[in-house]
């Protein structure tokens, strides 16, 4: 017998460990990792690497190959009689290979890289913001599943109580203490409970499938959703990723301003050209010749019709726009936090009333239970009181879940 008990305990323990569990924090983590939008972060990183490599090629020698063949209607002639200098051919040919090496461009290349890096950080933070906003959707699904889960437990308790009461009633009918057909009323109520189980299970499965699709993790009706004890501190100091996004946008503008200031900087290049053609560099030698030139050149756009100043003014306006967006976001979030705090305080007050009502309902049901046993009331009257208690307990469970949801949403709004 002892061995049988040990085997039963071992099986029960294994089943407990085998059952899948999931928490609200795990759902947050999984949706930020597995939601399709999360893949964009790595794609943006790869794109940045390609852009950076393309920009860095400006530091490398640039080669160009040119070839041409021309026929000229007239050529240079030396206007000296009886000279041995032959006039140039009217058909001329030339092929050249040129190399240009950037020596100095005022830091334009590095400024371009910084702008690209700032753009990458801004885009990645925008993805983080979009993923963060999914957390409230996760909250709604998770706590709805939790409510269905808790409602099932409550309904099972009601079912067990009715089944126990049915046995008592059957025994009472047998001995003539309770009126005949009282058991039929209880059996009908048990059938209603079976219908309620089916409805609860169907709704729960639909919610679980939606959550499973969002977080890309297999979940089913057997998964245990742990009830989190959400803690909330009513402080309106924000830690939202949107605030970091606004700051990164301003940093991107600052780098863009630096890039604009360097676009008019002088550019110094070294160059070399080698070629073969007729004529070569010696215009008086009418034959095919190899030739080359080397040197340095300076390019400086000293006047741009005030274009750069206008671009700076446009960027300054963008900064002001971001400041107003930041201010509006903080205001709206503060209003939302205050609204959510009032909701939490309201639900806490309702829960206190729920508990007082349930205590009274339990006393009434206890009296009804005693009256049913003595044949003073019918099964219908007993079921009415039991149903009243069950509905009030269901209301309490719903309010407790709503309180947890409100607290979780408050934390998400605050950025905690």
């Amino acid at each position: 017998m002892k061995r049988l008990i040990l085997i039963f305990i071992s099986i029960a323990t294994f089943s407990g460990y085998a059952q899948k569990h999931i928490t609200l924090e795990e759902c947050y983590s999984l949706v930020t990792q597995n939601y399709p939008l999360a893949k964009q972060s790595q794609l943006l990183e790869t794109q940045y690497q390609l852009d950076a490599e393309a920009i860095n090629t400006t530091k490398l020698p640039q080669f160009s190959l040119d070839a041409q063949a021309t026929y000229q209607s007239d050529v240079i002639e030396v206007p000296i009689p009886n000279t041995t200098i032959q006039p140039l051919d009217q058909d001329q040919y030339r092929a050249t290979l040129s190399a240009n090496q950037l020596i100095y461009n005022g830091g334009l290349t590095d400024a371009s890289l910084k702008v690209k890096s700032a753009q990458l950080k801004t885009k990645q933070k925008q993805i983080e913001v979009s993923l963060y906003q999914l957390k409230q959707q996760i909250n709604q699904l998770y706590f709805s599943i939790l409510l269905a889960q808790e409602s099932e437990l409550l309904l099972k308790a009601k079912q067990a109580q009715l089944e126990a009461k049915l046995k008592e009633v059957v025994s009472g009918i047998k001995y003539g203490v309770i009126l005949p057909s009282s058991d039929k009323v209880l059996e009908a109520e048990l059938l209603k409970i079976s219908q309620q189980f089916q409805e609860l299970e169907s709704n729960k499965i639909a919610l679980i499938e939606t959550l499973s699709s969002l977080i890309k993790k297999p979940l089913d009706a057997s998964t245990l959703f742990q009830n989190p004890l959400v803690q909330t501190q009513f402080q309106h100091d924000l830690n939202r990723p949107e605030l970091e996004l606004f700051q990164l946008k301003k940093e991107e503008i600052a780098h863009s301003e630096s890039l604009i200031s360097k676009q008019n900087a002088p550019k110094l290049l070294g160059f070399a050209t080698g070629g073969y053609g007729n004529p070569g560099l010696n215009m008086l030698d009418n034959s095919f010749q190899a030739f080359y030139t080397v040197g340095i050149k300076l390019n400086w756009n000293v006047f741009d019709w005030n274009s750069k100043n206008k671009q700076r003014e446009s960027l300054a306006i963008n900064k002001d726009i971001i400041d107003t967006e930041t201010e509006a976001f903080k205001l709206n979030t503060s209003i939302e936090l205050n609204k959510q705090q009032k909701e939490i305080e309201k639900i806490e007050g309702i829960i206190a009333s729920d508990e007082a009502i349930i205590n009274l309902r339990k006393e009434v049901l206890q009296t009804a239970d005693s009256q049913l046993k003595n044949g003073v009331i019918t099964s219908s009257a007993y079921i009415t009181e039991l149903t009243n208690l069950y509905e009030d307990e269901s209301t309490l469970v719903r309010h407790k879940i709503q309180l947890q949801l409100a607290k979780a949403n408050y934390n998400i709004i605050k950025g905690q």
Side-chain angles (χ1 to χ4, degrees):
M1 184 66 181
K2 289 182 178 178
R3 185 177 180 184
L4 185 62
I5 292 172
L6 287 173
I7 292 173
F8 176 76
I9 292 172
S10 298
I11 293 172
T13 303
F14 176 77
S15 299
Y17 281 115
Q19 186 179 26
K20 289 183 291 186
H21 293 72
I22 194 165
T23 66
L24 181 60
E25 290 298 328
E26 285 174 348
C27 291
Y28 289 159
S29 177
L30 287 168
V31 76
T32 55
Q33 293 172 21
N34 299 330
Y35 194 73
L37 193 62
K39 298 176 183 177
Q40 285 191 11
S41 186
Q42 184 57 47
L43 293 174
L44 289 171
E45 184 70 39
T46 303
Q47 185 183 51
Y48 166 73
Q49 293 297 334
L50 293 172
D51 290 341
E53 289 174 7
I55 292 171
N56 276 320
T57 58
T58 60
K59 297 179 180 180
L60 301 175
Q62 308 296 311
F63 296 95
S64 61
L65 178 65
D66 296 298
Q68 67 177 30
T70 62
Y71 182 86
Q72 299 182 193
S73 61
D74 201 1
V75 294
I76 298 175
E77 295 183 4
V78 179
I80 302 176
N82 302 322
T83 180
T84 59
I85 300 174
Q86 296 294 323
L88 295 177
D89 294 334
Q90 288 180 290
D91 55 324
Q92 298 183 5
Y93 308 89
R94 171 173 290 207
T96 59
L97 176 64
S98 300
N100 289 280
Q101 174 62 58
L102 179 66
I103 299 173
Y104 175 78
N105 65 352
L108 181 62
T109 301
D110 291 339
S112 298
L113 288 171
K114 288 179 180 178
V115 168
K116 286 293 180 182
S117 177
Q119 289 173 347
L120 170 66
K121 291 177 181 177
T122 301
K123 290 176 181 178
Q124 288 181 328
K125 185 58 68 173
Q126 181 62 65
I127 293 171
E128 184 182 333
V129 166
S130 298
L131 292 174
Y132 186 85
Q133 291 169 352
L134 288 171
K135 288 185 177 181
Q136 284 200 353
Q137 188 176 351
I138 294 293
N139 283 349
Q140 194 64 47
L141 286 169
Y142 190 92
F143 285 101
S144 295
I145 295 168
L146 205 58
L147 178 58
Q149 183 175 280
E150 295 296 320
S151 297
E152 281 183 348
L153 294 175
L154 202 57
L155 198 57
K156 284 178 182 177
K158 181 183 179 183
Q159 183 184 46
Q161 192 168 352
L162 279 175
E163 288 173 347
K165 187 55 60 182
L166 179 60
K167 291 179 182 179
E168 292 179 6
V169 168
V170 170
S171 177
I173 292 173
K174 181 178 179 181
Y175 293 103
V177 179
I178 299 176
L179 294 173
S181 77
S182 295
D183 56 336
K184 304 303 180 186
V185 176
L186 294 173
E187 288 173 359
E189 190 66 23
L190 284 169
L191 288 174
K192 286 183 181 179
I193 288 177
S194 296
Q195 291 178 335
Q196 291 172 353
F197 271 125
Q198 291 175 1
E199 186 178 358
L200 270 175
E201 190 69 13
S202 176
N203 292 338
K204 181 181 173 184
I205 289 173
L207 291 166
I208 289 174
E209 287 177 351
T210 304
L211 180 62
S212 178
S213 298
L214 273 177
I215 65 177
K216 301 297 181 185
K217 180 180 174 67
L219 302 171
D220 53 44
S222 65
T223 304
L224 179 62
F225 290 78
Q226 295 186 358
N227 195 344
L229 296 175
V230 183
Q231 302 296 327
T232 301
Q233 293 182 346
F234 294 130
Q235 297 174 353
H236 289 190
D237 50 326
L238 301 180
N239 190 28
R240 289 282 293 271
E242 289 89 341
L243 297 178
E244 297 177 34
L245 177 61
F246 293 138
Q247 185 59 38
L248 286 173
K249 285 182 176 181
K250 292 177 73 172
E251 290 177 10
E252 183 182 333
I253 290 174
H255 287 300
S256 297
E257 289 175 337
S258 177
L259 177 63
I260 289 172
S261 67
K262 296 180 184 302
Q263 285 177 344
N264 275 352
K267 298 176 179 61
L268 186 64
L269 299 96
F271 68 89
T273 302
Y276 185 76
N278 179 15
L281 296 181
N282 184 357
M283 299 297 293
L284 299 180
D285 188 346
N286 193 19
S287 64
F288 281 91
Q289 307 166 38
F291 58 88
Y292 72 90
T293 58
V294 295
I296 58 173
K297 58 183 176 181
L298 178 70
N299 179 274
W300 192 359
N301 184 13
V302 295
F303 186 69
D304 65 354
W305 300 97
N306 209 30
S307 171
K308 298 296 181 292
N309 285 336
K310 291 176 181 177
Q311 290 179 50
R312 290 191 189 94
E313 289 175 6
S314 176
L315 289 176
I317 292 173
N318 281 342
K319 270 188 179 179
D320 293 338
I321 291 173
I322 292 171
D323 286 337
T324 57
E325 287 177 348
T326 304
E327 186 178 351
F329 175 79
K330 287 181 177 179
L331 176 61
N332 292 334
T333 306
S334 179
I335 292 171
E336 191 65 26
L337 279 174
N338 186 63
K339 178 182 175 182
Q340 202 68 26
Q341 180 178 341
K342 298 300 181 186
E343 179 70 11
I344 291 169
E345 292 170 351
K346 180 190 77 175
I347 297 173
E348 286 175 339
I350 292 174
I351 287 174
S353 298
D354 287 339
E355 290 171 343
I357 292 169
I358 288 170
N359 289 333
L360 293 173
R361 290 291 187 193
K362 285 179 179 179
E363 291 180 11
V364 173
L365 182 63
Q366 189 175 2
T367 301
D369 180 57
S370 177
Q371 290 174 337
L372 178 62
K373 288 178 181 178
N374 295 316
V376 177
I377 62 171
T378 63
S379 297
S380 297
Y382 173 81
I383 288 174
T384 298
E385 296 304 331
L386 179 62
T387 301
N388 288 338
L389 175 61
Y390 168 74
E391 288 177 353
D392 288 333
E393 287 178 334
S394 297
T395 300
L396 175 61
V397 167
R398 185 174 69 253
H399 286 153
K400 284 184 175 179
I401 297 296
Q402 286 176 350
L403 178 61
Q404 294 290 77
L405 173 59
K407 287 182 176 180
N409 283 339
Y410 182 92
N411 289 341
I412 295 300
I413 294 169
K414 189 170 69 170
Q416 184 173 327

